[in-house]
Amino acid sequence: MILTIVVPCYNEEEVIVEATHQFTLLLNRLIGSGKISQQSSIAYVDDGSKDRTWDLIKGLSESNKFVTGIKLSRNRGHQNAVLAGMMTVTGDAIITIDADLQDDINVIEKMVDEYHHGMDIVYGVRTDRSTDTVFKRNTAQLYYKLLSMFGVDMIYNHADFRLMSRRTIESLRQYSEVNLYLRGIIPLIGFRSTCIEYSRKERFAGSSKYPFKKMLKLAIEGVTSFSVVPLQMITFIGFIVFIASFGILTWVLSVALFTNQAVPGWASTVLPIYFLGGIQILCLGVMGSYLGKIYIESKSRPRYFIENKVGQNDFQDKDEQTSRNKNITI
Ligand code: UDP
Ligand code: MG
């Protein structure tokens, strides 16, 4: 089994040499025990770094037979860097891991074992976030809860440390959407998968390349790429305002009929505001739900992947394994 370790790097000059040292030791150990093949490698994806990261990668690739490098044209963000690596490298199994050695690299051996036991996807799951700041821990926690409320199927406390087999990588390739949110998409692919727990360490060196702004962007991406619930909420709000305007109507009528405190002109001014406002938001919501449909359709996500086949091999070729590309007559 050829293993490729994909490592996204953005301004990681302080850690890359140490990371390479540790990955090399690990690969040699795994090759020694016969778990992976000699052709296994480490693929660094330089995400448009502004420091010496790429020069270091080039240098390492000359002195270390395992090291290969991919350079992106500019900084495209962690998710895109990971994806670029996964789509470019070969290998029977691909492990993605951050460069900063926060994720326990000894878990890689367990992931490889799981692969040999027939798993297609092995998720690394953090049990201990004590090294993250309180703020990061709590916002992350809240975010996972919010996502599950919105109906997004995600692995709790899993970042992008995972092993994927060749066929799951090929399945992933068929998601054509531009704004790809890997942590949400990969569980949708299916196949046999499992989780391995580990505790997350301190960053080896340097500072986090995920400032709050980038975190927020990733979080919004997660919600809007998977859920039309925010759009449906507009319909709900419109409906509530609409109903409330009837409540106000009853109140206005009772004031006018049973007391002598009615202010002339108040009801005829205020009531239509609520009433029309309610109808307008409701209409927006209805339009939103159609927009939501178009939005989901425009992604043209593949509908299924075939995991296994038995019997005679009179099967269609590879393109037919997914429902996309088929002519659907309406
Ligand atoms: N990274 C990247 N592009 C970016 C930001 C980060 O490729 O625009 C890489 C970074 O080099 C690291 C990984 O993504 O290997 C995770 O980043 P970091 O450790 O800074 O995030 P944190 O652990 O603080 O969430
Ligand atoms: Mg990190």
Side-chain angles (χ1 to χ4, degrees):
M1 173 255 225
I2 301 175
L3 175 72
T4 310
I5 304 179
V6 168
V7 190
C9 309
Y10 177 57
N11 295 346
E12 299 285 12
E13 61 181 7
E14 288 161 283
V15 299
I16 206 133
V17 174
E18 175 63 22
T20 308
H21 176 65
Q22 298 210 11
F23 287 137
T24 307
L25 288 179
L26 179 84
L27 286 181
N28 276 328
R29 198 173 78 222
L30 292 180
I31 292 172
S33 58
K35 289 182 179 171
I36 60 172
S37 120
Q38 299 265 2
Q39 287 128 47
S40 299
S41 61
I42 311 162
Y44 288 112
V45 184
D46 176 27
D47 185 17
S49 299
K50 294 183 181 65
D51 62 2
R52 286 168 43 242
T53 305
W54 181 244
D55 295 335
L56 290 174
I57 295 173
K58 272 201 298 202
L60 287 165
S61 72
E62 282 153 21
S63 61
N64 184 321
K65 68 177 167 49
F66 292 127
V67 176
T68 59
I70 299 163
K71 184 171 164 50
L72 299 191
S73 57
R74 51 161 295 179
N75 181 243
R76 299 290 294 124
H78 171 247
Q79 295 279 297
N80 286 316
V82 170
L83 186 73
M86 291 196 296
M87 292 298 123
T88 312
V89 301
T90 54
D92 303 319
I94 293 178
I95 288 182
T96 49
I97 185 168
D98 292 350
D100 57 8
L101 303 172
Q102 277 191 293
D103 303 310
D104 185 357
I105 69 164
N106 296 314
V107 169
I108 291 180
E109 180 162 11
K110 292 187 198 149
M111 288 180 164
V112 170
D113 289 342
E114 290 292 351
Y115 175 88
H116 287 305
H117 292 145
M119 290 297 164
D120 279 287
I121 304 180
V122 188
Y123 299 98
V125 173
R126 289 166 289 193
T127 46
D128 173 20
R129 296 188 71 124
S130 54
T131 58
D132 283 341
T133 61
V134 177
F135 175 74
K136 184 151 190 166
R137 211 162 46 226
N138 286 321
T139 45
Q141 217 82 326
L142 189 77
Y143 175 60
Y144 285 116
K145 291 224 174 78
L146 192 78
L147 273 185
S148 75
M149 226 168 70
F150 282 172
V152 183
D153 184 15
M154 280 218 337
I155 310 281
Y156 193 67
N157 264 343
H158 160 69
D160 287 293
F161 180 26
R162 72 177 90 76
L163 177 144
M164 289 178 77
S165 66
R166 177 50 49 196
R167 59 178 173 173
T168 57
I169 296 280
E170 292 311 318
S171 306
L172 179 66
R173 204 187 287 283
Q174 296 182 41
Y175 284 86
S176 57
E177 54 205 82
V178 178
N179 297 313
L180 204 61
Y181 183 66
L182 289 174
R183 294 174 209 180
I185 295 263
I186 290 168
L188 292 183
I189 299 176
F191 295 97
R192 286 188 70 190
S193 55
T194 185
C195 295
I196 293 184
E197 298 190 333
Y198 68 98
S199 63
R200 194 165 156 94
K201 291 183 273 194
E202 223 43 274
R203 205 173 212 288
F204 171 72
S207 58
S208 173
K209 309 293 183 293
Y210 250 104
F212 182 64
K213 208 174 114 200
K214 274 192 184 167
M215 246 166 72
L216 197 67
K217 192 164 163 250
L218 185 72
I220 294 175
E221 189 68 56
V223 174
T224 53
S225 322
F226 278 87
S227 171
V228 289
V229 173
L231 283 176
Q232 287 161 354
M233 265 158 42
I234 302 178
T235 317
F236 181 70
I237 295 170
F239 187 68
I240 298 290
V241 176
F242 186 62
I243 296 293
S245 77
F246 278 99
I248 299 172
L249 177 70
T250 346
W251 178 68
V252 164
L253 282 180
S254 64
V255 171
L257 293 178
F258 305 114
T259 70
N260 50 7
Q261 289 168 353
V263 182
W266 189 89
S268 57
T269 317
V270 171
L271 258 185
I273 294 179
Y274 283 94
F275 184 70
L276 284 176
I279 291 185
Q280 273 171 359
I281 303 178
L282 194 70
C283 291
L284 262 185
V286 172
M287 279 163 74
S289 17
Y290 286 99
L291 186 72
K293 291 266 161 15
I294 297 171
Y295 160 75
I296 293 289
E297 277 309 314
S298 67
K299 285 177 183 284
S300 61
R301 287 183 178 177
R303 291 186 192 78
Y304 56 80
F305 302 109
I306 295 165
E307 176 161 346
N308 226 331
K309 284 176 179 168
V310 287
Q312 295 301 308
N313 56 353
D314 55 341
F315 297 121
Q316 311 282 339
D317 72 355
K318 211 169 147 200
D319 245 18
E320 299 281 313
Q321 286 190 10
T322 60
S323 59
R324 206 148 58 90
N325 308 337
K326 269 191 186 163
N327 298 323
I328 298 167
T329 340
I330 301 167

